Amino acid sequence: MEQTKILLDENEMPKQWYNILPDLPTPVEPPLNPETKEPIKPEELESIFPKSLIEQEMSSDNYIDIPEEIRDIYKLWRPSPLHRAHRLEELLDTPAKIYYKNEGVSPAGSHKPNTSIAQVYYNMKEGNERVTTETGAGQWGSALSLACNYFDLECKVYMVRSSFEQKPFRKSLINLWGATVIPSPSKETKFGQQFLEQYPDTTGSLGIAISEAIEDASENDNTKYALGSVLNHVMLHQTVIGLESQKQLEKVDEYPDIVIGCCGGGSNLAGISFPYIKDKINKKHDPEIIGVEPSACPTLTEGSFKYDSGDTAMMTPLLKMYTLGHDFVPPSIHSGGLRYHGCSPIISRLYDDGLMKGRNYHQVEIFDSAVKFARTEGIVPAPESSHAIKCAMDEATKCRETGEEKTILFNLSGHGHFDMSAYDKYFNKKLGNE
Amino acid sequence: MEQTKILLDENEMPKQWYNILPDLPTPVEPPLNPETKEPIKPEELESIFPKSLIEQEMSSDNYIDIPEEIRDIYKLWRPSPLHRAHRLEELLDTPAKIYYKNEGVSPAGSHKPNTSIAQVYYNMKEGNERVTTETGAGQWGSALSLACNYFDLECKVYMVRSSFEQKPFRKSLINLWGATVIPSPSKETKFGQQFLEQYPDTTGSLGIAISEAIEDASENDNTKYALGSVLNHVMLHQTVIGLESQKQLEKVDEYPDIVIGCCGGGSNLAGISFPYIKDKINKKHDPEIIGVEPSACPTLTEGSFKYDSGDTAMMTPLLKMYTLGHDFVPPSIHSGGLRYHGCSPIISRLYDDGLMKGRNYHQVEIFDSAVKFARTEGIVPAPESSHAIKCAMDEATKCRETGEEKTILFNLSGHGHFDMSAYDKYFNKKLGNE
């Protein structure tokens, strides 16, 4: 059998992130102050973000150095392996070649530490002592806790109440790395208190948790807020995924015809695809780029491209993005990481400009694909990542029909070790088909 | 910072397992028929094991080829990375160098697939269609399910009832890869029925589950039994771990002064240490080898070296081994994989001959070390593996006191993603200190 995994040595890990902003054919529109509706000034963001991240958010540099302290932590698990899915190809009887980047090898089990490590590093450099954030199923909360552990910052995670109660083990991970996690809405913020008075039985939402984390960061000294997706600097940090994959594919003399990532806020899709979109913009190559969403939360595929707020309390700057509306409450599908009403402004722009395509799938077909993947490649995939798997399988199946020998690359954004209850429901036929 | 991970390419993966049997200074004593107390004949074992494994069990060849079909599956995750624990060393302020082999990268999350893949392969080659086994916490059951999935054999797992009820997620893994898992004692075997009649409220034990799995294999056509530890052929298959580690350490010009593995039945300790014990026997090197046990089940350190049965119903051949007695019921510590009354006859022999040392630790100090490891190296370790971590930390701390720059190697046999409830108990101070 040909090579199964393509590895890079630590010294082959990228030394810079790729910033797509200056390459965009249409520039992204600026974030607006939610009260004045005027473009926000960098200094207005300084109450919640460190200056270096605000600079990155608006940078016109094409490449940004990855500081050595960040690279040293990345090396605990990076470069992540690129796998050739021989057994999945055999199952599908396809002439296509399927490759996947395995971001599940990080300590937190997903691609999220690529940006949490960077964000906490810059906070540490600027003397901040504490960061706050929200988390849904807990992928981002655990990644931020891991990062704060390394740079010795305090970390407070507002976790959507329904997940806090139903998904105890990512909460345990957050505790293990030393952060504090409380259910949201909480009594510890004014917004949380108000919300609880009005809706005492609420199970919470990501939008509410964001509002609480931002309020906490704004009102406490030396405290900043950290967001795990959507913003430009988050997309930037994730490009290490795609840059590594390019070096790995070069080693086997391949270039992808199709690049696939699941898409919630957009960070793992950005990570795997932006370096390929650069080639597309520069007319060096013309890969098809596909963002895959749950049918239950079809932001790109069925939302509108307009200015909207990132949170329920409308505390965040207004972002021009694909959105289902900041008051949209998606059904409680198991892909908690894809249940966000909005999408990265850069990805929204690329989608609107036709540089990316979108697709959405229902929950049961996602788990059908996840099980086929686990039984061929061995790895138990996260439900979120299984959206990318399903799309890759569909594309490979098309190749069987057309005879095309396409090279397909997808990002396996994380493992599903903390999602086994969802697999149980699938096998017991108790999984809703939202 | 110096290199963090030492990787091997797939083509550097060992092509043979190392068989220590012909190198042993004192030969292991033969297994005895439990009824006649006479040395068992190979053909007597054929009702429960395939011939090729019985041959390996008694082989005098020093190296045994790893068939290509097995190597192809190993390549899904092997060679496993060797990590240098820089951050743990810093925490301990030690001049020692700490390396660990990360077997948690396998799909089942432990070293167990190294032998399950091999065992199921040989069963498939001999035309068997079904295998049975027991499992405690589920590491071995999930590894065997994974293997049966690849070679298209049916798999039936008898899971200790208390784990079946309290640890649902390894059960989910077993289902995911296609095996059937039922709580033991069950009504599906005569022994299980009898036991349930006598003790209707029993929570089961590993010894009972082994009896059921063996009965099932003996009484059903084309069905064999598979054991995840203790036996010589299991130790053999695990040597791929130590052989890889030798190549990896050579790349950084190192040889360990101390080699450490946790020890229940003994397979991961055998895997990491036998290639080094070969060097010790041949007087090429003189590393210290340490097997680490829970104080709650101190087989090597406090048991007796004698013939004993491997299961409760006394259906297995009698093995000359260190044992706490086949009716010993250890306290319900979270290191389910180390709760076995006996130990590999080869390891027992090496221990008795002074070629290995033993040590035992209490549960709370194990979790203290696990948390320190997770906060430095990032990885969440399995409680079992944390016994090796604790010992490595103690040895490195001694080096701080003596100033010795020892090279310490330990086996991280698995991750702890399915053990988070134990971490919760630790943080809530509800963990017993057995």
Side-chain angles (χ1 to χ4, degrees):
Chain A
M1 198 176 266
E2 293 167 79
Q3 204 171 348
T4 301
K5 298 184 304 307
I6 301 132
L7 305 178
L8 296 178
D9 277 330
E10 290 169 9
N11 55 25
E12 294 174 288
M13 194 169 72
K15 294 190 172 56
Q16 299 182 307
W17 294 298
Y18 164 59
N19 178 23
I20 201 170
L21 283 175
D23 288 335
L24 290 176
T26 321
V28 290
E29 285 170 81
L32 305 182
N33 180 307
E35 284 164 27
T36 65
K37 307 283 190 296
E38 291 296 314
I40 212 154
K41 296 187 192 92
E43 50 275 25
E44 293 181 72
L45 294 169
E46 288 175 15
S47 68
I48 55 169
F49 292 117
K51 284 181 196 158
S52 14
L53 292 178
I54 298 169
E55 275 167 34
Q56 289 184 357
E57 190 66 19
M58 302 173 176
S59 170
S60 55
D61 295 336
N62 233 174
Y63 288 92
I64 293 175
D65 288 343
I66 309 178
E68 201 181 338
E69 294 95 320
I70 295 176
R71 300 180 72 245
D72 274 345
I73 296 176
Y74 278 179
K75 282 179 195 168
L76 290 170
W77 70 94
R78 303 207 73 85
S80 69
L82 182 76
H83 298 243
R84 169 85 183 270
H86 290 295
R87 290 167 200 276
L88 183 61
E89 292 170 17
E90 278 168 31
L91 176 76
L92 300 171
D93 189 23
T94 176
K97 295 176 192 168
I98 306 177
Y99 290 91
Y100 59 96
K101 188 78 170 146
N102 183 3
E103 291 293 307
V105 297
S106 85
S110 79
H111 65 296
K112 293 289 184 190
N114 296 332
T115 185
S116 70
I117 300 292
Q119 291 188 41
V120 176
Y121 167 81
Y122 291 113
N123 270 293
M124 177 274 292
K125 289 298 271 188
E126 295 185 25
N128 296 311
E129 294 169 358
R130 186 169 171 273
V131 295
T132 65
T133 199
E134 75 292 335
T135 200
Q139 288 278 26
W140 170 242
S142 56
L144 195 68
S145 176
L146 176 73
C148 285
N149 165 65
Y150 281 123
F151 294 112
D152 212 15
L153 265 74
E154 263 187 78
C155 179
K156 172 84 161 267
V157 180
Y158 293 85
M159 186 170 187
V160 176
R161 183 175 294 275
S162 55
S163 297
F164 188 89
E165 284 161 5
Q166 289 161 24
K167 303 199 170 181
F169 296 135
R170 284 225 182 81
K171 187 175 72 187
S172 317
L173 266 186
I174 295 172
N175 285 327
L176 174 55
W177 288 312
T180 306
V181 51
I182 59 166
S184 162
S186 76
K187 291 189 176 157
E188 300 191 19
T189 65
K190 282 181 217 141
F191 180 72
Q193 284 164 16
Q194 285 164 12
F195 204 93
L196 279 173
E197 275 168 30
Q198 217 177 338
Y199 308 100
D201 298 327
T202 178
T203 53
S205 77
L206 215 45
I208 298 166
I210 295 177
S211 302
E212 288 203 86
I214 292 180
E215 182 188 318
D216 180 332
S218 315
E219 306 218 336
N220 284 291
D221 288 343
N222 296 320
T223 301
K224 301 290 171 192
Y225 166 70
L227 188 63
S229 193
V230 179
L231 300 181
N232 303 345
H233 66 269
V234 180
M235 307 296 129
L236 170 76
H237 302 150
Q238 294 294 356
T239 58
V240 66
I241 303 171
L243 293 168
E244 281 180 6
S245 78
Q246 288 190 323
K247 288 194 185 186
Q248 287 164 311
L249 286 174
E250 262 170 38
K251 289 195 183 230
V252 287
D253 209 18
E254 295 270 18
Y255 192 94
D257 299 296
I258 309 176
V259 179
I260 301 167
C262 64
C263 188
S267 75
N268 101 82
L269 173 61
I272 190 79
S273 70
F274 282 7
Y276 297 97
I277 292 181
K278 178 185 170 74
D279 291 347
K280 205 171 159 87
I281 293 170
N282 294 341
K283 317 259 183 229
K284 264 179 69 183
H285 290 278
D286 192 24
E288 190 177 1
I289 316 285
I290 309 176
V292 191
E293 305 184 313
S295 300
C297 192
T299 314
L300 287 176
T301 47
E302 297 179 22
S304 319
F305 191 32
K306 63 182 186 191
Y307 272 105
D308 194 11
S309 177
D311 71 326
T312 305
M314 300 191 68
M315 293 167 79
T316 69
L318 298 175
L319 299 174
K320 178 79 181 282
M321 61 182 176
Y322 273 85
T323 174
L324 295 161
H326 63 268
D327 50 1
F328 176 80
V329 180
S332 65
I333 53 167
H334 285 281
S335 297
L338 306 181
R339 287 179 77 240
Y340 187 64
H341 68 273
C343 186
S344 145
I346 303 179
I347 290 196
S348 297
R349 185 77 264 169
L350 290 165
Y351 183 79
D352 206 60
D353 283 352
L355 287 161
M356 265 193 190
K357 294 177 183 170
R359 193 169 298 177
N360 68 62
Y361 293 109
H362 291 280
Q363 184 160 251
V364 170
E365 56 191 345
I366 290 305
F367 276 83
D368 288 341
S369 306
V371 170
K372 288 195 176 85
F373 184 80
R375 290 184 177 176
T376 49
E377 295 301 303
I379 299 169
V380 181
E384 290 86 348
S385 319
S386 303
H387 288 74
I389 294 172
K390 166 67 177 159
C391 180
M393 287 172 67
D394 277 3
E395 292 300 316
T397 304
K398 276 188 214 161
C399 288
R400 178 178 66 209
E401 287 151 14
T402 63
E404 289 172 288
E405 295 181 18
K406 287 189 179 172
T407 298
I408 300 169
L409 168 67
F410 74 87
N411 194 28
L412 186 75
S413 56
H415 65 62
H417 298 169
F418 296 102
D419 301 286
M420 295 313 296
S421 63
Y423 281 95
D424 283 349
K425 280 192 196 157
Y426 170 80
F427 284 115
N428 295 327
K429 312 246 182 252
K430 288 185 178 162
L431 198 68
N433 195 22
E434 288 84 2
Chain B
M1 199 177 268
E2 292 168 80
Q3 205 171 349
T4 301
K5 298 184 305 307
I6 300 134
L7 305 178
L8 295 178
D9 276 330
E10 289 168 10
N11 55 24
E12 295 173 286
M13 193 168 73
K15 294 189 171 57
Q16 299 182 307
W17 295 298
Y18 165 59
N19 178 22
I20 201 170
L21 283 176
D23 288 335
L24 290 176
T26 321
V28 290
E29 286 171 80
L32 305 181
N33 181 307
E35 285 163 26
T36 66
K37 306 284 191 294
E38 291 297 313
I40 213 154
K41 297 189 191 88
E43 49 274 25
E44 293 181 73
L45 293 170
E46 288 175 15
S47 68
I48 55 168
F49 292 117
K51 284 179 197 161
S52 14
L53 292 178
I54 299 169
E55 276 167 33
Q56 289 183 358
E57 190 67 17
M58 304 174 176
S59 170
S60 56
D61 295 337
N62 233 172
Y63 287 93
I64 294 176
D65 288 343
I66 310 178
E68 200 181 337
E69 294 95 321
I70 295 176
R71 299 180 71 244
D72 274 346
I73 296 176
Y74 279 178
K75 282 180 194 169
L76 290 170
W77 70 95
R78 302 207 73 84
S80 69
L82 181 76
H83 298 243
R84 168 86 184 269
H86 290 295
R87 289 166 200 276
L88 184 61
E89 292 170 17
E90 277 168 31
L91 176 76
L92 300 173
D93 189 23
T94 176
K97 294 176 190 166
I98 306 176
Y99 290 90
Y100 60 95
K101 189 77 171 148
N102 184 2
E103 291 294 305
V105 298
S106 86
S110 79
H111 66 296
K112 293 289 185 190
N114 297 331
T115 185
S116 71
I117 300 291
Q119 291 189 42
V120 176
Y121 166 81
Y122 291 112
N123 270 293
M124 177 274 293
K125 288 299 270 188
E126 295 185 26
N128 296 313
E129 294 169 357
R130 185 169 172 272
V131 295
T132 65
T133 199
E134 75 293 334
T135 200
Q139 288 277 24
W140 170 241
S142 57
L144 195 68
S145 176
L146 176 74
C148 285
N149 164 65
Y150 281 124
F151 294 112
D152 212 15
L153 265 74
E154 262 187 77
C155 180
K156 172 84 161 265
V157 179
Y158 293 85
M159 186 170 187
V160 176
R161 183 176 294 276
S162 56
S163 297
F164 188 88
E165 285 163 3
Q166 289 161 23
K167 302 199 170 181
F169 295 135
R170 283 223 183 82
K171 185 175 73 186
S172 317
L173 265 188
I174 296 172
N175 285 328
L176 174 55
W177 287 313
T180 306
V181 52
I182 60 165
S184 163
S186 76
K187 292 189 176 156
E188 301 191 19
T189 65
K190 283 180 216 141
F191 179 72
Q193 284 164 18
Q194 285 165 12
F195 204 93
L196 278 173
E197 274 167 32
Q198 218 178 333
Y199 308 99
D201 297 327
T202 177
T203 53
S205 77
L206 215 46
I208 299 165
I210 295 177
S211 302
E212 288 203 86
I214 292 180
E215 182 188 318
D216 181 333
S218 314
E219 306 217 337
N220 285 294
D221 288 343
N222 297 320
T223 300
K224 300 291 172 194
Y225 166 70
L227 187 63
S229 194
V230 179
L231 300 181
N232 303 346
H233 66 268
V234 181
M235 306 297 128
L236 171 77
H237 302 150
Q238 293 294 355
T239 58
V240 66
I241 303 171
L243 293 168
E244 281 180 7
S245 77
Q246 288 189 322
K247 288 194 185 187
Q248 287 163 313
L249 286 174
E250 263 170 37
K251 289 197 183 227
V252 288
D253 210 18
E254 295 270 18
Y255 193 92
D257 299 296
I258 309 176
V259 179
I260 301 166
C262 64
C263 188
S267 75
N268 100 81
L269 172 62
I272 191 77
S273 70
F274 282 6
Y276 297 97
I277 292 181
K278 179 186 170 73
D279 291 347
K280 205 171 159 84
I281 293 169
N282 295 340
K283 316 259 183 230
K284 262 179 72 183
H285 290 278
D286 193 25
E288 188 177 3
I289 316 285
I290 310 175
V292 191
E293 306 183 313
S295 300
C297 192
T299 315
L300 287 176
T301 46
E302 296 177 23
S304 319
F305 190 33
K306 62 182 185 189
Y307 272 105
D308 193 11
S309 177
D311 70 326
T312 305
M314 301 193 67
M315 295 168 78
T316 68
L318 298 175
L319 299 173
K320 177 79 180 282
M321 60 183 177
Y322 273 85
T323 174
L324 296 161
H326 62 267
D327 49 2
F328 176 79
V329 180
S332 66
I333 53 166
H334 285 280
S335 297
L338 306 182
R339 288 179 75 241
Y340 187 64
H341 67 274
C343 186
S344 144
I346 302 180
I347 290 195
S348 296
R349 186 76 262 169
L350 290 165
Y351 183 79
D352 207 59
D353 284 351
L355 286 160
M356 265 192 190
K357 295 175 183 170
R359 193 170 297 178
N360 68 61
Y361 293 109
H362 290 281
Q363 185 161 253
V364 170
E365 57 190 344
I366 290 305
F367 276 84
D368 287 341
S369 305
V371 170
K372 288 195 175 86
F373 185 80
R375 290 183 178 177
T376 48
E377 294 301 304
I379 299 169
V380 182
E384 289 86 349
S385 319
S386 303
H387 288 73
I389 294 172
K390 166 68 177 157
C391 181
M393 287 172 67
D394 277 3
E395 292 300 316
T397 303
K398 276 188 214 162
C399 289
R400 179 179 63 211
E401 287 151 15
T402 63
E404 287 172 291
E405 295 182 18
K406 287 190 179 172
T407 298
I408 300 170
L409 168 67
F410 73 87
N411 194 28
L412 186 75
S413 57
H415 65 62
H417 299 170
F418 296 103
D419 300 286
M420 295 313 297
S421 62
Y423 281 95
D424 283 348
K425 280 192 196 157
Y426 170 80
F427 283 116
N428 295 326
K429 313 246 182 252
K430 289 184 178 162
L431 198 67
N433 195 22
E434 287 84 4

